[in-house]
Amino acid sequence: MELHDVWFVLIAVLWTGYFFLEGFDFGIGVLTKLLARDRTEKRVLINTIGPVWDGNEVWLLSAGGATFAAFPEWYATLFSGFYLPLLLILLCLIVRGVAFEYRVKRSEERWQANWEHAIFWTSLLPAFLWGVAFGNIVRGVKIDAEMEYVGTLGDLLNPYALLGGLVTLSLFTFHGAVFAGLKTLGDIRERARKLALGLGAVTGVLALAFLGWTQADDGGAASLVAMAVAVLALVAAVGFTAAGREGWAFGLSGVTVVAAVAMLFLTLFPNVMPSSLNDAWSLTVTNASSTPYTLKIMTWCAGIAMPVVLLYQGWTYWVFRKRIGTQHIADAH
């Protein structure tokens, strides 16, 4: 296996880790309006991700940085062609981080309500837009012989990509509902479990349609196996949720995310960004990669840094592993 193939796999792993972790993170943000009945319950939900949400975003920074260094042509075409949706995602992530920190800086009802609205919308929009973006990457976009995107914003809003956005939105919200059931106590835990059952059914229908479409267009044996794992894991996650086994349910909803993202990357390889105009103009792991020397230096750096990041993040989740409920929320201030 060549180094550019290795880095394609590593970037796929980084995106998978990001969607696994930030997926339930976005889901919790959406659930602040779908699940929480009052401000105290909103605080419970936000506190479930309070210690970890910013660490989850490190995976996005790592994925973007690795793409820039390992596949500069991919990075350039992606961020120029998808400029507006990626800018909107970036703005959402900025506002979202500010909302988490500033929400409790003042006690006025309107102040806190406005920031809670911001948390909801800046969780919902990226959860949808990431699916649209990756749907277009897998489907292929208008790339010319100069490796430049020559399409329009309207070209990105095609039925396949929009369906992908609905899948990521519903899947992340389901993932978040299962996580809420795992991390909370009392009535909110029971309502999270019931909501997860409904969300799981909706996600199953959408995911089966999207993954089936993907497999029919460009899939092979490996992507078919990944699709089967994703569907079976989702069904099992719903079953364990119904049985009140939140730990197993969360693990299996995570497997669903991992298998679905893996299927997309398996379908994509050896391309990194197919051209819908001419297959010969597609960006591949070969023509879009950096020099072998650059990839070699990056491999050594990743081999040292990645274990440290994984150990630190794992320790953080272990420290904040206990459930919380409304009884743990101090009076409003």
Side-chain angles (χ1 to χ4, degrees), residues 302-316:
I304 295 171
M306 280 295 291
V308 176
V309 173
L310 291 173
L311 286 172
Y312 172 76
Q313 199 159 24
W315 175 78
T316 303

Side-chain angles (χ1 to χ4, degrees), residues 197-260:
L197 294 176
L199 289 169
V202 173
T203 301
V205 173
L206 293 173
L208 191 60
F210 178 71
L211 297 180
W213 191 344
T214 304
Q215 180 65 26
D217 279 353
D218 301 298
S223 60
L224 181 60
V225 171
M227 174 183 171
V229 171
V231 172
L232 292 175
L234 179 60
V235 172
V238 172
F240 278 107
T241 298
R245 303 289 298 275
E246 292 97 344
W248 282 97
F250 178 71
L252 287 163
S253 68
V255 170
T256 304
V257 175
V258 170

Side-chain angles (χ1 to χ4, degrees), residues 64-96:
T67 304
F68 171 76
F71 299 100
E73 296 291 351
W74 184 14
Y75 182 93
T77 304
L78 176 64
F79 279 82
S80 59
F82 293 23
Y83 179 79
L84 287 177
L86 292 179
L87 177 62
L88 181 56
I89 290 174
L90 177 60
L91 291 175
C92 284
L93 295 180
I94 293 172
V95 173
R96 189 168 181 265

Side-chain angles (χ1 to χ4, degrees), residues 251-317:
L252 287 163
S253 68
V255 170
T256 304
V257 175
V258 170
V261 177
M263 180 191 177
L264 296 183
F265 277 97
L266 287 168
T267 303
L268 189 61
F269 185 81
N271 294 321
V272 294
M273 207 165 177
S275 172
S276 60
L277 300 178
N278 190 326
D279 288 341
W281 297 343
S282 296
L283 276 66
T284 68
V285 293
T286 303
N287 65 19
S289 68
S290 294
T291 64
Y293 181 75
T294 300
L295 296 177
K296 185 176 180 180
I297 296 298
M298 289 176 59
T299 303
W300 279 103
C301 293
I304 295 171
M306 280 295 291
V308 176
V309 173
L310 291 173
L311 286 172
Y312 172 76
Q313 199 159 24
W315 175 78
T316 303
Y317 276 92

Side-chain angles (χ1 to χ4, degrees), residues 38-204:
D38 53 34
R39 173 136 301 127
T40 300
E41 290 191 350
K42 289 180 181 179
R43 292 172 66 187
V44 169
L45 290 175
I46 293 171
N47 284 358
T48 63
I49 60 172
V52 299
W53 68 266
D54 47 356
N56 294 344
E57 293 185 355
V58 170
W59 289 78
L60 174 61
L61 299 176
S62 300
T67 304
F68 171 76
F71 299 100
E73 296 291 351
W74 184 14
Y75 182 93
T77 304
L78 176 64
F79 279 82
S80 59
F82 293 23
Y83 179 79
L84 287 177
L86 292 179
L87 177 62
L88 181 56
I89 290 174
L90 177 60
L91 291 175
C92 284
L93 295 180
I94 293 172
V95 173
R96 189 168 181 265
V98 173
F100 281 132
E101 300 296 333
Y102 274 68
R103 181 182 57 88
V104 294
K105 297 300 182 183
R106 289 168 57 178
S107 59
E108 290 90 339
E109 178 79 15
R110 185 173 180 181
W111 171 272
Q112 295 194 2
N114 286 339
W115 287 119
E116 287 162 1
H117 289 315
I119 290 172
F120 171 76
W121 287 109
T122 56
S123 298
L124 185 148
L125 287 174
F128 175 74
L129 290 174
W130 279 127
V132 174
F134 270 83
N136 279 294
I137 291 173
V138 173
R139 173 178 177 267
V141 292
K142 294 179 179 179
I143 300 173
D144 65 12
E146 303 299 322
M147 298 185 178
E148 294 183 2
Y149 177 71
V150 293
T152 65
L153 179 62
D155 293 327
L156 302 179
L157 303 178
N158 55 82
Y160 176 80
L162 293 175
L163 178 58
L166 292 176
V167 170
T168 52
L169 175 58
S170 62
L171 177 57
F172 292 169
T173 307
F174 169 71
H175 197 32
V178 175
F179 181 76
L182 177 66
K183 289 288 292 179
T184 57
L185 293 166
D187 182 58
I188 192 171
R189 174 188 176 187
E190 292 301 316
R191 284 188 281 114
R193 183 176 65 83
K194 292 178 181 177
L195 181 59
L197 294 176
L199 289 169
V202 173
T203 301

Side-chain angles (χ1 to χ4, degrees), residues 17-48:
Y18 173 67
F19 287 136
F20 175 87
L21 296 171
E22 194 80 330
F24 70 77
D25 199 323
F26 287 142
I28 290 293
V30 174
L31 290 173
T32 56
K33 283 198 177 295
L34 299 185
L35 179 62
R37 290 177 173 172
D38 53 34
R39 173 136 301 127
T40 300
E41 290 191 350
K42 289 180 181 179
R43 292 172 66 187
V44 169
L45 290 175
I46 293 171
N47 284 358
T48 63

